[in-house]
Each structure stands twice: as structure tokens, then as C-alpha cells.
Amino acid sequence: MTLKLGIPKGSLQDATIQLFARAGFNMYVSSRSYFPSIDDPEIECMLIRAQEMARYVSDGVLDAGLTGLDWVAEHEAGDGRTGVIESMVDLIYAKQSFGKVRWVLAAPEDSDIRSPKDCEGKTIATELVRVTKAYFAKQHINVKVEFSWGATEVKPPMLADAIVEVTETGSSLRANRLRIVDTVMESNTQLIANRTALADAWKRTKIENVALLLRAAIEAQGRVGLMLNVRRQDVDNILSLLPALQRPTISSLADEEWVAVNTIIEERTVRDLIPRLKAAGGEGIVEYPLNKIVL
């Protein structure tokens, strides 16, 4: 038995393959194949556009797949069946960062559009058509929503009055002289699964194990381990300097006057922390990388 797993093709592809590598799965993608190889004989991978992933998981073509909450919402707002997809784990990463993305309503900087209500009777271009229609309908605002095949930022003001577009930092919108009016929705990558697949004990266990390892890789991102030796009399001073995931681990050494301290910290704090630990009496300070943190 194998698990049929969808990998998002496109902007998320490289970040997803890197995430799987940190989780312990080595994946190899050929430019001429939509079926990546993976060093787990119990998994069969297929490259699918994130926009289509929810449909294929819902229809049972795939047992599970990675896609954004936005595309699940777009699928379920249309003709897609609801109640057949289950989110297994939130995986907060995007193509440029480890954070959520936003779908925003944006208009030209010199536009009269200052709020969603100002879009009454206007044309909105977006790839997220169904969610956008629902967003305006909920506010009783009549707009014309047009599907955009791409390069959505260049369409206002000639081809559309405003757009609903995804952004991580807003830099592309600013570069095209667009101003964010409102946030339509936030989204992040999720591992989703078909509930029929989850009814199979073997597949459920396999999916849950993959989810566990992917989540552990996300938790380890940007963190490092730090261990050092310290005299017992200096332990309180050292501990006062150490932030920790839960609390530092303290272990006895052969020399009863000394203990080993082991902790997990944000990597960005290391350069400031190590000199302070040394000054407080820490010795044998070692920083080491982390691949996974299982909470």
C-alpha cells in the first residue's frame, strides 16, 4: 500500500521540497516529470498546482496534499464538495518566508477607492474569484469580479478598478503604485487529507506521521541548540540569561562542582547571548543546528 501525496507545483514547490528535506524526506524532481521520486517507498508523489490540490484530494485522486487555506476556501466556495477534506496540520511557510500570506484588496495610489464600499459597481481582477465574490456579497457590495490569469498588479486602472491579490510583504504592490485597502483573508500552507483515506488505519497513521515530521521541521526553523558547562554556583546567573522553549535541561557532570546546561533558543539571539554567557561563567559553549522539534 502507498500514500498518494500531492506536492504543490509553482511558487511553493522549492520551499516545500526543502521542508520535506528538513523533515527527513529526500525528494528529487525532474524538469520533465510530474512525479517526483522520494526516498520513502510508501509514498507516491505527484506535482499539482496548489490551486487544484483541494479538488483532487476531495475527489480521492490524491490521499493528501499540501496547499493553501485560500485554495481550499476557493474550492469549497464553488462546486466542490464540502466535508470531505480535513486539515491535518498548519504549515506556516511561503515562497519567501516562514509566515502567513494575505489576500488583499488593493487599488491605485491615486484612486478614490478608500474602503470596500467604494468598489460599488466597479471591476475587480483576481485569481481568487469565488472567495472575492463572497467577500463583497457579505458586505452587500455589487462588483464585477473578473478572473486574472496572472500579472494582476498591472491591471489597474486600465483593465480593472482594483484587484484582490496575494502578498507576503507588499513590495510588489508598492512597486506597481498600488495601495492596500483591506485584507480579504489570511492564508498559510496546510497538509490536507481526504476523509475516506483517513478512514483507512494505515493511511491515517502514515499521514499523521508525515504531518508530525513536517510540523517538527517548521518548529525548528530559525532555532538552534546551545549547550555549555557551568559551575553550580553560577547556574542561577546563567539561567537568568537563557530563554527556552520550555526550560533549560541541567545535567550533572563527573566533576560535582560543574553541570551541563542544554537549551533551545532563537538563532538571531545567539550572537548577543554567547558573550554574555561567557562573561557569566559559561565554558565549553557549543551551538548546534536543529532539524526538528517535536512538541
Side-chain angles (χ1 to χ4, degrees), residues 165-186:
E165 180 65 337
V166 67
T167 182
E168 288 185 51
T169 64
S171 58
S172 180
L173 296 174
R174 291 191 294 272
N176 286 280
R177 301 180 62 81
L178 296 173
R179 170 176 36 82
I180 294 176
V181 177
D182 193 20
T183 297
V184 175
M185 73 174 296
E186 287 190 339

Side-chain angles (χ1 to χ4, degrees), residues 67-77 90 99-106 116 126-136 138-139 163-168 173 180-190:
T67 189
L69 177 63
D70 44 4
W71 298 116
V72 175
E74 180 75 355
H75 170 74
E76 294 188 340
D90 276 322
K100 292 188 175 185
V101 299
R102 292 189 299 155
W103 283 87
V104 298
L105 173 63
T126 185
E127 192 176 353
L128 201 71
V129 172
R130 295 162 178 164
V131 170
T132 299
K133 287 181 176 179
Y135 165 80
F136 283 106
K138 185 177 181 180
Q139 302 180 67
I163 64 173
V164 170
E165 180 65 337
V166 67
T167 182
E168 288 185 51
L173 296 174
I180 294 176
V181 177
D182 193 20
T183 297
V184 175
M185 73 174 296
E186 287 190 339
S187 179
N188 58 268
T189 307
Q190 295 185 331

Side-chain angles (χ1 to χ4, degrees), residues 49-74:
R49 285 177 60 83
Q51 294 90 326
E52 300 178 292
M53 190 72 71
R55 174 162 66 94
Y56 288 120
V57 173
S58 174
D59 291 345
V61 177
L62 298 169
D63 297 315
L66 287 90
T67 189
L69 177 63
D70 44 4
W71 298 116
V72 175
E74 180 75 355

Side-chain angles (χ1 to χ4, degrees), residues 19-283:
L19 175 61
F20 269 82
R22 290 196 302 275
F25 300 95
N26 293 310
M27 197 177 296
Y28 307 93
V29 180
S30 168
S31 59
R32 292 178 289 183
S33 173
Y34 283 82
F35 298 93
S37 59
I38 187 170
D39 61 350
D40 186 332
E42 296 178 343
I43 299 177
E44 293 180 3
C45 295
M46 183 176 183
L47 286 174
I48 296 289
R49 285 177 60 83
Q51 294 90 326
E52 300 178 292
M53 190 72 71
R55 174 162 66 94
Y56 288 120
V57 173
S58 174
D59 291 345
V61 177
L62 298 169
D63 297 315
L66 287 90
T67 189
L69 177 63
D70 44 4
W71 298 116
V72 175
E74 180 75 355
H75 170 74
E76 294 188 340
D79 298 329
R81 292 181 297 159
T82 60
V84 296
I85 293 176
E86 183 171 327
S87 174
M88 302 303 296
V89 63
D90 276 322
L91 301 169
I92 301 179
Y93 73 98
K95 63 181 179 181
Q96 295 177 349
S97 65
F98 282 80
K100 292 188 175 185
V101 299
R102 292 189 299 155
W103 283 87
V104 298
L105 173 63
E109 292 176 349
D110 57 359
S111 169
D112 293 334
I113 298 175
R114 301 289 172 178
S115 72
K117 291 182 179 180
D118 297 330
C119 293
E120 179 72 34
K122 298 189 182 299
T123 298
I124 313 297
T126 185
E127 192 176 353
L128 201 71
V129 172
R130 295 162 178 164
V131 170
T132 299
K133 287 181 176 179
Y135 165 80
F136 283 106
K138 185 177 181 180
Q139 302 180 67
H140 306 290
I141 301 170
N142 296 312
V143 298
K144 179 183 179 183
V145 179
E146 292 185 345
F147 177 74
S148 174
W149 290 96
T152 308
E153 296 98 328
V154 305
K155 295 191 173 180
M158 294 183 62
L159 302 178
D161 298 297
I163 64 173
V164 170
E165 180 65 337
V166 67
T167 182
E168 288 185 51
T169 64
S171 58
S172 180
L173 296 174
R174 291 191 294 272
N176 286 280
R177 301 180 62 81
L178 296 173
R179 170 176 36 82
I180 294 176
V181 177
D182 193 20
T183 297
V184 175
M185 73 174 296
E186 287 190 339
S187 179
N188 58 268
T189 307
Q190 295 185 331
L191 175 64
I192 60 173
N194 181 288
R195 286 186 174 172
T196 300
L198 292 174
D200 179 281
W202 183 89
K203 287 186 177 181
R204 172 176 280 278
T205 299
K206 188 67 177 179
I207 292 170
E208 289 177 344
N209 288 345
V210 170
L212 174 71
L213 294 171
L214 291 176
R215 183 62 187 167
I218 290 284
E219 289 293 339
Q221 180 68 23
R223 290 172 170 164
V224 296
L226 200 67
M227 58 184 179
L228 64 153
N229 296 334
V230 59
R231 293 183 183 276
R232 290 186 183 273
Q233 65 192 41
D234 295 324
V235 167
D236 289 342
N237 291 335
I238 291 291
L239 294 184
S240 69
L241 299 174
L242 288 177
L245 187 62
Q246 295 294 333
R247 59 177 60 89
T249 300
I250 301 175
S251 306
S252 298
L253 297 178
D255 187 334
E256 293 184 358
E257 293 185 4
W258 290 79
V259 295
V261 178
N262 203 326
T263 191
I264 295 171
I265 61 174
E266 298 290 332
E267 186 174 16
R268 57 185 169 80
T269 67
V270 171
R271 67 181 185 185
D272 296 324
L273 182 58
I274 286 181
R276 296 170 65 196
L277 292 173
K278 180 66 175 175
E283 295 189 13

